[in-house]
Amino acid sequence: MRLLLFLGCAAVALCIVRGCSPRNFADSPSHRCFCQVTGYLDDCTCDVETIDAFNNFKLFPKLQKLLESDYFRYYKVNLKKPCPFWDVVSHCGIKDCAVKPCHTSEIPDGIKSSGFKYSEEANRHVGELVDCEKAERLGAVDESLSVETQQAFLQWANHDDSGDNFCEADDEHSPDAEYVDLLLNPERYTGYKGPDAWKIWNIIYEENCFKPQTIKRPLNPLASSRGDNEDNTFYNWLEGLCVEKRAFYRLISGLHASINIHLSARYLLQETWLEQIWGHNASEFQKRFDTVLTKGEGARRLRNLYFLYLIELRAASKVLPFIERLGFQLFTGDKARDTENKKLLLEILQDVKSFPLHFDENSLFAGNKKDADKLKEEFRLHFRNISRIMDCVGCFKCRLWGKLQTQGLGTALKILFSEKQIENLPERGPTYGFQLTRQEIVAFFNAFGRISTSIKELENFRNLLLNTQ
Ligand SMILES: *[C@@H]1O[C@H](CO)[C@@H](O)[C@H](O)[C@H]1NC(C)=O
Ligand SMILES: *[C@@H]1O[C@H](CO)[C@@H](O)[C@H](O)[C@H]1NC(C)=O
């Protein structure tokens, strides 16, 4: 073990020498975005290069193909849910923010009916469990939580459909929930930016990431004043946190980075009355990730993206036994295609399983059970709150992808930290234990696809920036 650690450090040192040596185009744009994004990642035993090779050549092409199938392209979502925290300034005026829901007739019958069947089954199952689960969870409320937190907790427990959930899922039966074709409404640059967009991330980081108000976040565009030593204070604080809270922050930061990569990679480059041209905008990318322009924040953001990737990768590996069951179908009603898609999905998950340096989720929420459970509950509470904040995003396109990606990450966390067994479930029929709805499955794999795309896009930006000296 010590030898391994030593080798790890040596590898980092080597990479730093190779990648960041001042003789080596120290000031080139590519170098300034990527030289610190290499080698081993903090809090895990994996390195950036292994992830790049695995994702870009193996996973990415297959996953993209899968996500184009009918099962995965239609996501049912309620974009009209009111924001629970403040009055939202609508950005309907921005054309590229619009989301066009599907007409019911466009949705394959199998999806409409199986979605219904699935949730009916799930509801029945929840009805049986909900009372004792509720009692258990309420019993777990710790006296040290504030009154508001306890109240929020009670509210969630009341309409909670499973003790496992990290997200507040949309009610699929609400008349406002509609199917959206994700391929026709891609995540890309919308023009939604400035104070309203900052506000969302600001509230997430300031009020939902365990951060005390007195610690200032570096480069916060909404902060009134910025001192010189704030960066250090912030990172000293972060390093002092327990590994779980630090992981929480890094997941959020990774998600933020991923979304910004998509917006830079599908930027509106040109618009005439005839057509819109979307493509890579390298200077937008640099603005967010260049080490000099971001005072070192860019590299941290990108490393957090890799951390997020590892979390989703591990969840995908862990959910394999659930998907492998004979009774699990990607049901759209087209039998031949459904079988083909399940085969492709299993192939992807086998690849994922063979990845050599998986994140070890047992390193989180370990130790004393009572403390670990309390921490997990806090973690869950914060994450759920973030999923509700997504209803406050003013631009519908961003709201759609924000909701999908938080639900996807929430599902990954549910898979990783569920106390219900995922292995050895019955081959067919209801499992009465670990359960995923179609909405969760669609969100999880699409969210994973987004992160996988981000990692792939980093390669594109690296090449683009190499050509701009
Ligand atoms: C790229 O983004 C920058 C902002 O970072 C913007 O000023 C510039 O006009 C964009 N380039 C194109 C071709 O749209
Ligand atoms: C939920 O988010 C709101 C808005 O940021 C915040 O005021 C509240 O404290 C958060 N609650 C929890 C439990 O995180």
Side-chain angles (χ1 to χ4, degrees):
M1 187 63 202
R2 195 163 293 157
L3 179 69
L4 207 74
L5 275 179
F6 170 75
L7 284 177
C9 292
V12 177
L14 247 167
C15 291
I16 288 173
V17 171
R18 192 192 58 197
C20 300
S21 128
R23 279 176 288 129
N24 217 349
F25 318 107
D27 219 31
S28 81
S30 167
H31 176 87
R32 283 179 16 176
C33 286
F34 293 105
C35 84
Q36 287 171 26
V37 188
T38 176
Y40 275 73
L41 295 161
D42 315 320
D43 292 332
C44 39
T45 55
C46 189
D47 63 284
V48 164
E49 288 72 15
T50 307
I51 297 175
D52 281 343
F54 173 79
N55 180 69
N56 297 356
F57 296 103
K58 217 166 179 168
L59 188 81
F60 174 78
K62 288 182 190 170
L63 191 52
Q64 289 312 303
K65 180 161 177 240
L66 181 74
L67 295 178
E68 284 168 15
S69 68
D70 279 357
Y71 186 88
F72 287 103
R73 70 189 286 187
Y74 298 112
Y75 177 56
K76 198 167 188 188
V77 60
N78 181 354
L79 294 175
K80 297 181 191 147
K81 237 174 166 177
C83 166
F85 302 114
W86 62 85
D87 288 335
V88 174
V89 183
S90 165
H91 289 259
C92 298
I94 306 180
K95 175 179 72 190
D96 296 313
C97 277
V99 170
K100 191 175 161 289
C102 301
H103 196 268
T104 326
S105 62
E106 296 169 56
I107 309 298
D109 285 338
I111 291 184
K112 280 181 282 188
S113 59
S114 80
F116 182 66
K117 205 175 75 205
Y118 216 125
S119 44
E120 207 177 34
E121 204 173 74
N123 283 343
R124 191 154 23 88
H125 154 68
V126 167
E128 289 161 12
L129 275 187
V130 82
D131 284 338
C132 59
E133 241 173 27
K134 213 191 296 176
E136 223 175 76
R137 297 192 50 204
L138 296 188
V141 173
D142 195 285
E143 303 294 324
S144 65
L145 297 178
S146 72
V147 176
E148 293 100 292
T149 310
Q150 286 192 36
Q151 261 170 6
F153 186 84
L154 283 171
Q155 264 173 19
W156 283 319
N158 275 338
H159 56 96
D160 185 10
D161 59 354
S162 152
D164 276 348
N165 285 354
F166 282 80
C167 268
E168 194 170 276
D170 286 350
D171 173 8
E172 293 193 51
H173 301 300
S174 154
D176 286 334
E178 294 180 284
Y179 282 101
V180 173
D181 183 340
L182 297 172
L183 298 183
L184 292 184
N185 295 278
E187 186 185 29
R188 63 186 175 195
Y189 183 80
T190 60
Y192 176 59
K193 56 183 174 188
D196 282 336
W198 293 336
K199 179 177 174 183
I200 298 286
W201 286 107
N202 195 53
I203 277 178
I204 290 176
Y205 286 119
E206 294 296 320
E207 298 175 13
N208 292 278
C209 282
F210 301 101
K211 193 179 77 57
Q213 264 184 342
T214 47
I215 307 278
K216 299 264 187 296
R217 204 159 41 89
L219 300 186
N220 177 0
L222 293 180
S224 46
S225 72
R226 277 192 226 155
D228 278 341
N229 268 333
E230 284 167 0
D231 295 15
N232 279 338
T233 325
F234 179 80
Y235 287 102
N236 286 341
W237 164 77
L238 194 66
E239 285 312 309
L241 282 181
C242 62
V243 61
E244 292 80 4
K245 292 185 181 174
R246 191 162 55 243
F248 190 96
Y249 169 82
R250 296 179 66 196
L251 290 177
I252 299 300
S253 163
L255 191 61
H256 193 181
S258 177
I259 290 173
N260 282 334
I261 292 171
H262 298 140
L263 306 188
S264 316
R266 302 186 85 166
Y267 196 94
L268 180 57
L269 297 175
Q270 216 183 53
E271 184 167 32
T272 65
W273 62 275
L274 252 180
E275 59 172 358
Q276 292 181 309
I277 297 173
W278 304 85
H280 293 86
N281 181 333
S283 61
E284 179 74 16
F285 180 85
Q286 284 171 296
K287 224 164 78 184
R288 297 170 188 279
F289 299 106
D290 182 292
T291 308
V292 178
L293 296 181
T294 63
K295 298 195 184 149
E297 282 298 294
R300 291 196 179 98
R301 291 171 184 163
L302 293 179
R303 295 174 71 86
N304 291 339
L305 169 73
Y306 281 91
F307 180 72
L308 171 60
Y309 184 87
L310 282 179
I311 293 288
E312 303 220 350
L313 192 70
R314 174 60 192 142
S317 157
K318 199 174 170 196
V319 83
L320 174 61
F322 179 80
I323 308 269
E324 258 177 339
R325 292 173 309 127
L326 292 174
F328 181 91
Q329 292 181 42
L330 296 175
F331 191 71
T332 66
D334 179 337
K335 198 152 189 262
R337 269 227 202 120
D338 292 350
T339 311
E340 218 172 273
N341 284 330
K342 179 163 173 184
K343 211 175 122 214
L344 177 59
L345 175 56
L346 286 179
E347 197 182 309
I348 291 172
L349 295 181
Q350 293 290 359
D351 285 350
V352 166
K353 197 177 166 199
S354 72
F355 181 78
L357 299 168
H358 270 296
F359 180 76
D360 176 12
E361 72 276 12
N362 296 319
S363 65
L364 302 182
F365 307 114
N368 175 319
K369 171 112 174 88
K370 188 160 169 275
D371 294 344
D373 283 352
K374 183 180 154 217
L375 186 60
K376 198 185 209 177
E377 207 45 61
E378 253 186 282
F379 194 99
R380 193 201 304 271
L381 221 57
H382 276 70
F383 196 81
R384 285 193 168 206
N385 214 29
I386 290 177
S387 75
R388 301 166 84 211
I389 292 175
M390 290 300 142
D391 289 318
C392 305
V393 175
C395 164
F396 280 109
K397 177 73 79 56
C398 313
R399 185 182 297 185
L400 165 68
W401 285 97
K403 284 175 76 110
L404 179 133
Q405 290 179 85
T406 42
Q407 192 184 19
L409 178 54
T411 306
L413 297 173
K414 168 175 171 176
I415 295 167
L416 288 181
F417 301 115
S418 171
E419 302 202 344
K420 294 174 185 152
Q421 208 183 346
I422 300 180
E423 287 180 336
N424 302 319
L425 294 170
E427 279 289 337
R428 292 180 190 280
T431 62
Y432 294 111
F434 183 79
Q435 191 60 268
L436 291 176
T437 63
R438 176 180 178 276
Q439 201 191 31
E440 286 175 311
I441 295 166
V442 171
F444 173 64
F445 285 101
N446 272 289
F448 189 26
R450 295 281 71 209
I451 308 302
S452 164
T453 304
S454 293
I455 301 280
K456 172 76 183 166
E457 286 294 357
L458 288 184
E459 182 181 281
N460 296 336
F461 277 114
R462 195 181 275 127
N463 292 336
L464 272 174
L465 289 173
L466 272 180
N467 298 327
T468 46
Q469 279 296 322

